[in-house]
Amino acid sequence: MKKTKSKNEAKRYAKSQSLDKDYRGVPVYIIHCNRTAYFYVDTDSLIRLWEQLIGYYINGIYTSEKLD
């Protein structure tokens, strides 16, 4: 898991991880924590009550989470 202060930095890191051969075909999630204001990049999509899924990368392709 990587922790970043900015959404763009998190997206860059998630994209580079998703293009890595070890993560081929594995979703790399970007999660925002409302309590700490950090963005987390991880392959585990577990979301706590105070967190929000921003989107994820699979093989370098970004998919944004749609809010209803």
Side-chain angles (χ1 to χ4, degrees), residues 2-4 8-9 14 18 22 27-30 32 35 38 40 42 49 56-58 68:
K2 173 141 174 113
K3 177 171 80 170
T4 67
N8 288 333
E9 184 181 353
S18 76
D22 294 336
V28 179
Y29 298 97
I30 302 169
H32 181 253
R35 293 167 105 187
Y38 282 104
Y40 294 92
D42 200 356
L49 291 175
Y56 58 93
Y57 279 89
I58 298 179
D68 293 336

Side-chain angles (χ1 to χ4, degrees), residues 17-36:
Q17 286 296 103
S18 76
L19 291 171
D20 187 296
K21 68 178 182 161
D22 294 336
Y23 294 100
R24 185 80 48 193
V26 176
V28 179
Y29 298 97
I30 302 169
I31 300 165
H32 181 253
C33 179
N34 295 323
R35 293 167 105 187
T36 64

